Amino acid sequence: MGLVEAIKRAGVSKQFLPLISIAIGIAIGVVYLTEFDLKQGVLVGTILGLSASGLYSGTKNTMEREDK
């Protein structure tokens, strides 16, 4: 989530953030979590990326509702 937020603040369009989140998740999954097992790393990384994207979106929506 933090990496995607930093990328967003760098000026990347919001429409690309979910894809960036998944790509970062896959990279972390392959390199760090599964020690270069490609199939398992892609699966775990996709889940990580989607989870981070959903968590960010859910938190953002919750915060917006509180402000109104």
Side-chain angles (χ1 to χ4, degrees), residues 20-30 33 41-42 44-46 48-50:
I20 292 170
S21 177
I22 293 170
I24 292 171
I26 289 172
I28 290 171
V30 170
L33 299 177
V42 169
V44 170
T46 301
L48 286 173
L50 291 171

Side-chain angles (χ1 to χ4, degrees), residues 1-54:
M1 266 179 38
L3 291 173
V4 175
E5 180 66 24
I7 291 169
K8 182 178 102 175
R9 290 184 184 204
V12 175
S13 175
K14 289 182 182 181
Q15 70 186 21
F16 296 116
L17 294 179
L19 294 174
I20 292 170
S21 177
I22 293 170
I24 292 171
I26 289 172
I28 290 171
V30 170
V31 174
Y32 293 109
L33 299 177
T34 62
E35 298 176 0
F36 296 99
D37 179 5
L38 190 59
K39 287 182 183 179
Q40 188 176 4
V42 169
L43 177 64
V44 170
T46 301
I47 292 168
L48 286 173
L50 291 171
S51 296
S53 179

Side-chain angles (χ1 to χ4, degrees), residues 48-61:
L48 286 173
L50 291 171
S51 296
S53 179
L55 180 62
Y56 174 80
S57 176
T59 303
K60 179 181 153 197
N61 290 338

